[in-house]
Amino acid sequence: MSNETWLITGGAGYIGTHIADEFIRAGKSVILYDSLYQGLEPRITYLRAHHKTEIPFIKADIRDYNEIEGAIRKYKVDGIVHTAALKAVGESMEKSDEYFQVNLEATNELIEIAKRNSVKKFIFSSTAAVYGSPDTMDPCTEDGPKAPISPYGDSKFQAEAKVTAFINTPGNFGTSLRFFNVVGTAAPQLLDNSVENLVPIVLGKLNKGQAPEIFGTDYPTADGTCVRDYVDVRDIARAHLAAADATSALPPAMNIGTGRGASVREIIDLVLQATNKSDTEVIQSPRRAGDPAFLCADVSLAKSAMGFTSKYSLEESIRSLF
Ligand code: UD1
């Protein structure tokens, strides 16, 4: 299995490059495909230098089906890791058509291309957003209620069904991995450049001398702020390798998290400590619409199905950013 060739869509992205890093280390060949709409080519430059290997890169949109089919044929791809997506929850409310086109239709087309070209393995990047905004304080289980509240979550949830149909065909193999809140980095060159999530937002504010902001301090949690399951991007990459190398059929979808919750206040405190700015003022703002008080993964399925457990502590993830 180690000499397989995998196409990674979103291959210049924060998550895609971490998966590439892990796969190359395990002896697999990777072909990276990315439009560079959000991806960054210097991340690929870093991977090439770090692993001292030539990594083919195709700069094209995920909706450019001729380009993607050409790449699959040229490189005789064995498996596809499909991370390419639009991922800004707020933006998805305004641009829902585009989100369904990129996240659902393109996934469907990619699966059709895989079938036409005898690609048997498909691992799909899904998200905890498929669970929506649960009103319980129980960890989410894969077979529990799915009620996405954004076009982003809905497009990913519907795309999962296409992936499930593919992997249910005899001879095919794969799964959808539902990421919780992804943090950390393997190297400064691979950092998350998005501006939508808590940790990058707090770091951005500190760099500009501004005060971090907590959205809601009156939730029914231990310290009143929202609790999430923050999982290291290197663990996300390890989960993909475990899925790619699994020798028996996998469940159609698995949570990838740590199984441990951390509050917004705890995260901000860790970032302030790591930057020696513990005396910085923190603004307490009203709740942000749509935020569940608690969203954590039940991680037992990934453990039983492919022996995967997360390895990095939250402190290690935050430290990796500096
Ligand atoms: C959101 C999406 C999730 C998606 C993820 C990554 C929802 C319900 N969830 O997760 O599906 O996979 O983004 O794109 O839409 N916060 C602050 N101050 C800030 C920024 C954030 O207090 O300046 C709080 C938020 O209110 C939230 C927590 O930090 O409670 C985490 O926020 P964020 O990083 O945006 O992720 P989620 O909303 O959990």
Side-chain angles (χ1 to χ4, degrees):
M1 277 180 295
S2 61
N3 56 1
E4 286 171 338
T5 298
W6 284 76
L7 177 79
I8 303 178
T9 72
Y14 166 54
I15 290 175
T17 41
H18 278 91
I19 296 169
D21 187 34
E22 186 75 17
F23 275 30
I24 295 167
R25 203 173 303 118
K28 298 185 195 304
S29 299
V30 298
I31 314 300
L32 306 182
Y33 188 101
D34 200 297
S35 67
L36 298 184
Y37 172 61
Q38 298 167 115
L40 301 173
E41 200 164 3
R43 291 191 180 123
I44 302 176
T45 309
Y46 163 77
L47 284 181
R48 286 179 179 137
H50 183 67
H51 292 284
K52 299 185 180 60
T53 182
E54 197 35 56
I55 304 170
F57 168 53
I58 297 123
K59 179 183 175 301
D61 194 280
I62 196 64
R63 292 160 292 184
D64 190 342
Y65 303 122
N66 287 332
E67 195 69 46
I68 206 157
E69 186 153 18
I72 286 171
R73 287 188 178 153
K74 177 172 176 190
Y75 294 104
K76 301 188 171 50
V77 165
D78 299 297
I80 299 173
V81 171
H82 180 36
T83 81
L86 294 174
K87 58 165 189 173
V89 176
E91 183 190 63
S92 79
M93 305 288 187
E94 278 106 57
K95 298 185 176 172
S96 68
D97 287 355
E98 205 177 336
Y99 271 69
F100 280 99
Q101 214 183 69
V102 172
N103 295 355
L104 175 60
E105 279 174 41
T107 301
N108 197 31
E109 285 298 329
L110 184 58
I111 288 170
E112 291 304 317
I113 293 169
K115 286 193 218 160
R116 274 204 296 280
N117 292 279
S118 306
V119 178
K120 302 287 184 200
K121 299 186 174 185
F122 199 99
I123 302 175
F124 178 59
S125 296
S126 189
T127 167
V130 301
Y131 298 113
S133 191
D135 53 11
T136 72
M137 303 288 261
D138 298 326
C140 300
T141 54
E142 288 81 351
D143 57 1
K146 263 76 68 187
I149 54 169
S150 64
Y152 166 70
D154 197 14
S155 63
K156 285 284 184 175
F157 183 52
Q158 292 189 44
E160 277 190 7
K162 309 284 181 193
V163 177
T164 301
F166 172 84
I167 63 177
N168 281 343
T169 305
N172 288 350
F173 191 84
T175 189
S176 294
L177 300 179
R178 294 179 183 153
F179 313 159
F180 279 67
N181 293 53
V182 187
V183 286
T185 191
Q189 295 85 346
L190 302 182
L191 272 172
D192 185 4
N193 61 322
S194 73
V195 286
E196 286 114 29
N197 295 119
L198 175 62
V199 173
I201 289 174
V202 170
L203 285 175
K205 290 206 161 157
L206 292 176
N207 282 338
K208 286 189 256 165
Q210 296 170 354
E213 194 177 348
I214 301 180
F215 298 143
T217 51
D218 58 349
Y219 285 98
T221 57
D223 68 12
T225 69
C226 287
V227 171
R228 296 286 181 274
D229 188 330
Y230 294 87
V231 55
D232 197 284
V233 67
R234 292 163 289 182
D235 280 325
I236 296 279
R238 290 175 55 243
H240 283 76
L241 185 62
D245 283 350
T247 47
S248 49
L250 293 170
M254 283 178 278
N255 291 337
I256 303 299
T258 64
R260 292 183 304 272
S263 74
V264 173
R265 204 182 280 282
E266 285 171 310
I267 296 287
I268 293 179
D269 283 348
L270 279 173
V271 174
L272 292 179
Q273 277 164 28
T275 48
N276 287 323
K277 290 183 175 165
S278 291
D279 51 359
T280 302
E281 175 207 6
V282 177
I283 299 172
Q284 305 193 8
S285 298
R287 293 182 179 195
R288 187 176 73 173
D291 275 340
F294 180 93
L295 197 68
C296 288
D298 181 309
V299 292
S300 50
L301 187 60
K303 183 172 184 192
S304 61
M306 56 180 190
F308 172 78
T309 48
S310 64
K311 167 169 124 176
Y312 295 92
S313 69
L314 189 49
E315 289 74 12
E316 285 174 292
S317 299
I318 302 287
R319 264 204 313 272
S320 72
L321 303 172
F322 303 100

